[in-house]
Amino acid sequence: MAGLFESAGGGSAAIALDELEASILRSLEVQMLELIGPGPGGVSDDPLAALFAEGPSEAPADPALARLFPDAYGDPAKPADEESRAAAGEFRRYTELDLRARKREDALHVVQALDGLGGEGGVVKLAAAECLRWLGALNDLRLTLGVRLEITEEDEQGLYDLPDTDELKPLVMAYLWLGALQESLLESMSD
C-alpha cells in the first residue's frame, strides 16, 4: 500500500488511493461506525430531547471503546478512587454522546469521500477543515486496532518483524499503514 497524503497547499491535502486501499479504508471506517454506534440510550430525533440527553456515567466495558472514550479524571495507571470515579462519571454523562456523534460524523465523512470514488481508486482532495475530520477518523481507527492487537510502545518495532504467516499480520499491516497515513496527513497540513 503506497497511498499517502500530499500537500495541496493552504492546509489542504490530497491522497491517491488504488481500489484495494480505498476498499480497506472504507471497510475499516464502516466497522468503526458499527463499533461506536449511537451509544447507550440511542439517538433521539427530537432536537430538544437530544439537547438535554444525558450519556452514560460508566466507562464502556469494551477496551477499544474505553480507549476511544477514556475517563477525564484520575490517573489511568492507578485504580480510580471514589472522588475521581464520580468526577469522571459526571463528565462522561454530559460529554460522551457529543463525542460519539463527532466520531461517527468523522468516520461517515471518510466513507462518503471514498464512496465518491465510485468503488474504484482515485484521488481524494481534502480542504483544510476536512483534513481534521480525516485525522480524527484515522486516529480512532489506529487506537482501536492498537487496543485489539494489544500493542504497547515496546511492541512497536517488533511489528515490522512479524512473519507473514502470523494470523495478525493483516491487522498489523493496517495499523502501520494508518500510522503512515496520519503522519503524512499531518505533514501535508503543515505545508
Side-chain angles (χ1 to χ4, degrees):
M1 292 185 217
L4 295 175
F5 286 95
E6 295 179 10
S7 176
S12 61
I15 185 169
L17 297 168
D18 65 29
E19 184 177 343
L20 180 61
E21 291 168 330
S23 173
I24 290 171
L25 188 53
R26 185 186 187 287
S27 174
L28 289 171
E29 289 295 353
V30 167
Q31 291 176 57
M32 179 59 63
L33 285 165
E34 292 170 359
L35 175 67
I36 293 171
V43 177
S44 174
D45 289 335
D46 179 1
L48 186 59
L51 182 64
F52 292 105
E54 293 183 6
S57 59
E58 296 292 322
D62 182 327
L65 285 174
R67 182 70 174 103
L68 292 174
F69 306 105
D71 281 335
Y73 294 92
D75 183 349
K78 297 178 184 174
D81 60 28
E82 192 62 35
E83 185 179 336
S84 63
R85 194 174 13 262
E90 190 73 4
F91 185 82
R92 178 180 301 283
R93 207 169 92 202
Y94 294 111
T95 61
E96 186 172 314
L97 293 180
D98 287 340
L99 186 55
R100 277 183 187 269
R102 186 187 55 78
K103 289 180 180 298
R104 273 194 309 276
E105 289 168 8
D106 289 350
L108 187 58
H109 186 79
V110 173
V111 169
Q112 289 170 338
L114 294 171
D115 285 349
L117 297 177
E120 300 176 9
V123 176
V124 177
K125 295 178 183 176
L126 305 175
E130 293 174 303
C131 289
L132 293 175
R133 287 179 165 254
W134 274 66
L135 194 58
L138 293 171
N139 187 58
D140 291 343
L141 283 175
R142 193 157 190 266
L143 287 173
T144 300
L145 278 175
V147 169
R148 295 287 191 240
L149 292 167
E150 299 178 354
I151 294 173
T152 64
E153 287 184 36
E154 297 81 37
D155 296 334
E156 197 73 32
Q157 184 54 42
L159 296 177
Y160 294 96
D161 301 328
L162 202 62
D164 290 343
T165 56
D166 192 302
E167 64 185 26
L168 296 177
K169 183 76 174 204
L171 289 177
V172 168
M173 294 300 295
Y175 175 82
L176 295 171
W177 180 53
L178 291 168
L181 286 176
Q182 279 182 288
E183 184 177 343
S184 67
L185 181 53
L186 279 170
E187 289 174 2
S188 298
M189 290 168 63
S190 64
D191 286 345

